[in-house]
Amino acid sequence: MSDSHTSSVVFVTAIVVLASGGVGVITGTATASPVAGATDPVVETPQSHRLLQTDDETDDNVTRRHRDPRKYAEDSDLEALESRLMTRMIDDLEEGAITLEDGEYERAARSVDESYIDSLDRYAEIADETAGENYDELFELAGDNQKRIIEAAQRYNETRAEYERARAAGDEERARSLARELETIATSVNESSHELRANYDDLEAETDANLSESDAAIEAVNEDIQAEQATIRETEFVATDLTVDAGREEISFREPLTATGRLRTATGRPIGSETIRLEVGNGSVRTETAADGSFAFEYRPTAEPLSAEQLSIEYVPTNESIYLGSEVAVDVSIEQVEPTVSDLETTTEIAYGETATVGGDLHVDGTPVDGVPLAVTLGDERIGRTETANGSFETDVEVPASIPDGERELGVRLEYEDQALAATAATNDVTVRETEVDVTVSASRVGDTERTVAVDGTLETADGAAVAERPVRLDADGTTLKTVTTDDDGSFTATVEIPDEAARGDGEIVAAHDGSGSNLASDTATSTVAFSVDGRSWWGLPAWAWLGFGGGLIALLGAAAIAWWSRGRAPRSSPSAGDATTDAVTDPVSDRSGTEIAESVLEHGRDSLSHGRPDRAVELAYAAVRHALSDRIDVSASSSALTHWEFYRRWDEHRDDGPDSDGGRSDRALLRTVTERYERATFDIADVSSAEAERVLEAVGQLCDLDLDDDTD
């Protein structure tokens, strides 16, 4: 074939490739200059292309954003990760127990902070996908109880220091009050200690973990506190003895418990002429002791379960008292009675955001029922709560949007079940009016993207009051894009992807509030977004960008064809002219190495971090790693189709300097750190922190020998 024919074929082939959609034309990088307020520049790389690809693209090897690892990882990988997370939580519990015994409260608290909760959440999700048992509830109980005992132990230590200062200052009243507080804290420590050690036993039985050292540490902490409190108790308080005799065993609200009793010190001395408080069952009474310590009281059961066979009666001294409390129990059999709501008064007409008033009395045969909680109801929904005082109640509650408009019932309900008082309710008729609302919406394209649109708006009443916690549907061209919920100030924001068929010309984003099933009216608002006439895009780049690339490539190929033709016609003794022409049209993009591309991608990652987008920064940092390290490993096939952990293993096995070299071990640790943070940024619900993203960027620079200070753009 002649040179002229060859150049013609090349030229025509280029036009055909461009006309077919541009796929596969550009193999180097494509950058866009940063613009204030716009999204990060797009850098087209094998890995960053995956980050930008849309759901309707069908590359089976693509690792998509927000796709869970269990969708593609091997079972062995999930089981290994599950095991590592369990080991991490066991280590956290052990470290917390040991540091608590050493009195390092803040360090102990960090063992069960957000990091432990994050590990627990990840473990629970992964354990659901593996064949083994899920012990997330055991780990959650252990974490909660360990946090509780750490906080109680620290509070005991701080309060004891205050107590000692009060005693040193001679402030006996303050010291005794603090000693009473220490008594309560010590009881809490004792209870949490037993519960936590039981959790340790369960974890050891189910997971084969060894928590013996942790168990011993928690036991030692509790024993120390109980010993210290015994000394304080003996110094500050006088022990008491309480006796009670019940007049009858069968009791009810109509037929109350009538009892007599006596309060003495542990040595038998009467505690006379005192006003004392007794906690009886679920309530309390106050009574006076005579000079000999005797007293009498009456108690009407309200919330006690019908199954109760005993009522506990406890003497509760004041904080300033020198006496310790004491407790006894009496045998009972409880009969249920039904109370009555009378004189119910309610608002007659209400609307969203207005106040509904409810008031009345609760009694049994004319005897007021005191200290009983009542639910305020509107229709079938509970909208508030009140409590009786001397048998009466009155409260104001705000009307929510969830109540349908029309004729409804407003009242109160006693929600007891199998208790001394039976359930009861009372309502009055009320009219719920419909309230007009106003939806506003504003939409705009995100940077240079063709189909990504940022939407924000508000939902308010016609009077301008914010409407919170209401769903607003976002539509485009008849397709629902997303449903958002309004914030406390009535605002909503979202980022949506517009369907291809709607991303042409001027498109409308519709925000719709559906008032069905509520007392709010329906309303819609629209915002117009300008799209290109032909909204198609490839590889995350809009059509106009491909036109620019296409024009440049056509010119490039045309120049190459002319150069080829000219070289063919030039004398063979003068090759320098053809060489010069060829050099002039060499594509500089194709000459860029993976390291150069990685430097550009990493710089964009740094820009993302500076704009408050740590997750995006980590994703781009990982894309830079893929570019840089793909050039440095001995892999015959392309590595761009590998998942992140497949790439890690392939790189570790085939890198040029060997996996067991000193540099190999150091680089392996860096790559593993970067890969784990990339996995978290891509798949985890929680965001990567800015500090973590900064460390990832530094690790990538060290791993790939990149200089972030150079102007690589």
Side-chain angles (χ1 to χ4, degrees):
M1 184 180 294
S2 67
D3 292 342
S4 60
H5 288 169
T6 301
S7 62
S8 299
V9 169
V10 172
F11 186 77
V12 171
T13 300
I15 295 176
V16 171
V17 170
L18 286 174
S20 67
V23 177
V25 173
I26 302 299
T27 59
T29 60
T31 62
S33 300
V35 179
T39 58
D40 286 337
V42 176
V43 180
E44 195 64 59
T45 69
Q47 190 67 21
S48 60
H49 174 58
R50 291 186 175 87
L51 302 177
L52 299 170
Q53 202 164 12
T54 58
D55 290 339
D56 54 340
E57 295 178 310
T58 58
D59 184 356
D60 292 336
N61 292 320
V62 170
T63 302
R64 292 184 175 85
R65 173 78 166 146
H66 298 308
R67 182 179 178 187
D68 196 277
R70 63 175 176 263
K71 300 300 184 183
Y72 62 85
E74 300 175 358
D75 289 341
S76 60
D77 292 338
L78 286 181
E79 290 171 358
L81 180 56
E82 177 187 11
S83 178
R84 288 198 300 272
L85 289 169
M86 289 176 63
T87 301
R88 181 183 301 173
M89 289 187 288
I90 292 291
D91 291 344
D92 287 342
L93 292 173
E94 186 170 19
E95 180 185 2
I98 294 172
T99 52
L100 175 61
E101 184 182 12
D102 293 338
E104 299 181 45
Y105 301 110
E106 293 184 2
R107 184 178 170 190
R110 287 198 297 270
S111 68
V112 286
D113 62 3
E114 290 82 358
S115 177
Y116 182 88
I117 296 172
D118 178 62
S119 296
L120 176 60
D121 290 341
R122 295 176 65 192
Y123 164 77
E125 183 178 357
I126 292 172
D128 284 339
E129 301 301 320
T130 58
E133 293 290 332
N134 188 342
Y135 303 115
D136 61 326
E137 292 184 0
L138 281 179
F139 280 109
E140 183 175 8
L141 281 173
D144 289 344
N145 282 323
Q146 184 147 318
K147 180 179 181 180
R148 192 174 296 115
I149 194 173
I150 291 170
E151 292 174 347
Q154 182 175 13
R155 192 164 65 253
Y156 184 90
N157 182 66
E158 294 170 350
T159 307
R160 186 191 59 192
E162 289 186 53
Y163 162 76
E164 291 172 350
R165 286 194 293 269
R167 280 189 60 82
D171 190 345
E172 294 184 2
E173 184 176 341
R174 171 65 174 162
R176 189 170 296 118
S177 177
L178 290 169
R180 182 87 59 191
E181 186 177 345
L182 287 171
E183 189 77 16
T184 302
I185 300 172
T187 301
S188 175
V189 169
N190 190 47
E191 293 173 352
S192 296
S193 169
H194 286 90
E195 292 175 3
L196 178 57
R197 294 177 65 195
N199 297 149
Y200 287 166
D201 291 341
D202 292 340
L203 284 171
E204 286 183 327
E206 298 293 344
T207 67
D208 295 330
N210 185 357
L211 286 163
S212 58
E213 193 173 354
S214 304
D215 184 82
I218 295 300
E219 183 180 20
V221 168
N222 184 45
E223 288 178 349
D224 288 347
I225 289 177
Q226 301 310 319
E228 290 175 2
Q229 189 57 30
T231 302
I232 294 174
R233 187 183 303 123
E234 185 177 353
T235 302
E236 295 293 339
F237 300 114
V238 176
T240 61
D241 178 60
L242 176 68
T243 59
V244 175
D245 295 319
R248 69 169 65 88
E249 186 172 326
E250 294 78 15
I251 63 172
S252 68
F253 190 89
R254 284 194 185 94
E255 301 290 337
L257 170 69
T258 56
T260 58
R262 192 179 299 274
L263 182 63
R264 305 182 182 92
T265 67
T267 58
R269 182 172 58 84
I271 302 176
S273 304
E274 294 263 355
T275 299
I276 63 173
R277 181 167 71 93
L278 300 175
E279 288 191 354
V280 184
N282 292 329
S284 67
V285 296
R286 290 186 180 275
T287 187
E288 296 281 340
T289 61
D292 62 354
S294 63
F295 60 86
F297 70 91
E298 179 181 273
Y299 177 72
R300 298 180 185 273
T302 57
E304 286 74 13
L306 297 177
S307 59
E309 296 179 350
Q310 286 188 325
L311 277 184
S312 65
I313 302 171
E314 181 183 2
Y315 163 55
V316 183
T318 63
N319 282 343
E320 298 78 16
S321 173
I322 64 171
Y323 298 113
L324 284 174
S326 51
E327 183 178 2
V328 296
V330 295
D331 294 335
V332 295
S333 175
I334 299 176
E335 178 185 355
Q336 188 180 68
V337 298
E338 184 175 353
T340 302
V341 177
S342 62
D343 300 327
L344 180 66
E345 297 183 359
T346 61
T347 308
T348 58
E349 187 173 320
I350 51 178
Y352 168 76
E354 294 181 353
T355 297
T357 301
V358 181
D361 299 314
L362 182 68
H363 57 87
V364 174
D365 300 337
T367 301
V369 179
D370 191 28
V372 171
L374 298 173
V376 180
T377 61
L378 178 55
D380 297 328
E381 189 171 330
R382 177 177 178 170
I383 63 171
R385 181 185 180 279
T386 186
E387 186 172 298
T388 59
N390 297 321
S392 298
F393 61 89
E394 183 174 358
T395 188
D396 295 328
V397 292
E398 187 175 299
V399 178
S402 55
I403 307 299
D405 59 281
E407 297 301 318
R408 303 287 173 236
E409 292 183 339
L410 174 63
V412 294
R413 181 170 64 235
L414 176 61
E415 299 177 319
Y416 280 177
E417 183 177 355
D418 296 329
Q419 291 168 273
L421 291 180
T424 189
T427 61
N428 289 337
D429 292 336
V430 63
T431 300
V432 180
R433 303 188 311 273
E434 182 180 71
T435 299
E436 295 295 326
V437 297
D438 181 29
V439 178
T440 64
V441 65
S442 174
S444 59
R445 284 169 49 194
V446 177
D448 294 331
T449 59
E450 187 64 31
R451 295 170 48 209
T452 304
V453 173
V455 182
D456 60 80
T458 60
L459 176 63
E460 298 177 340
T461 66
D463 296 332
V467 180
E469 299 297 322
R470 288 295 297 171
V472 176
R473 192 181 69 250
L474 303 178
D475 299 338
D477 198 29
T479 300
T480 298
L481 307 176
K482 182 181 288 188
T483 298
V484 296
T485 302
T486 56
D487 293 332
D488 292 340
D489 60 356
S491 65
F492 59 87
T493 59
T495 301
V496 296
E497 293 292 324
I498 307 301
D500 283 334
E501 59 273 14
R504 289 179 172 84
D506 291 338
E508 286 189 343
I509 303 298
V510 180
H513 172 260
D514 184 359
S516 301
S518 74
N519 53 52
L520 299 176
S522 299
D523 191 38
T524 61
T526 61
S527 178
T528 301
V529 181
F531 300 102
S532 62
V533 176
D534 184 358
R536 293 180 299 168
S537 63
W538 303 278
W539 291 2
L541 295 177
W544 60 264
W546 284 110
L547 291 176
F549 285 132
L553 186 59
I554 290 173
L556 181 65
L557 293 176
I562 294 172
W564 185 280
W565 180 79
S566 298
R567 185 174 64 176
R569 293 178 58 87
R572 295 188 179 271
S573 58
S574 305
S576 59
D579 293 343
T581 305
T582 302
D583 292 341
V585 296
T586 299
D587 183 1
V589 174
S590 62
D591 288 343
R592 297 186 70 182
S593 67
T595 300
E596 291 174 324
I597 296 172
E599 289 179 343
S600 178
V601 176
L602 193 58
E603 185 63 30
H604 291 310
R606 177 66 69 180
D607 290 342
S608 294
L609 180 59
S610 67
H611 286 86
R613 302 176 62 192
D615 280 337
R616 177 64 173 164
V618 171
E619 291 171 351
L620 289 172
Y622 181 74
V625 165
R626 293 292 289 260
H627 272 298
L629 297 189
S630 293
D631 285 352
R632 303 182 188 183
I633 58 177
D634 182 17
V635 180
S636 57
S638 173
S639 64
S640 63
L642 302 176
T643 67
H644 47 296
W645 286 116
E646 290 171 343
F647 180 86
Y648 170 81
R649 289 190 289 270
R650 183 75 62 85
W651 174 86
D652 191 36
E653 294 169 358
H654 297 281
R655 54 175 295 160
D656 293 337
D657 57 356
D660 296 325
S661 65
D662 292 340
R665 287 190 292 271
S666 175
D667 288 352
R668 184 190 305 118
L670 288 174
L671 181 57
R672 185 175 189 86
T673 297
V674 173
T675 304
E676 287 175 345
R677 294 301 183 272
Y678 164 73
E679 182 178 68
R680 179 178 174 186
T682 307
F683 305 117
D684 209 334
I685 296 175
D687 291 335
V688 172
S689 67
S690 295
E692 288 178 303
E694 179 70 33
R695 289 193 291 270
V696 169
L697 290 169
E698 292 174 357
V700 171
Q702 181 180 350
L703 180 63
C704 304
D705 297 328
L706 302 180
D707 184 2
L708 291 181
D709 295 332
D710 293 341
D711 184 6
T712 57
D713 290 337

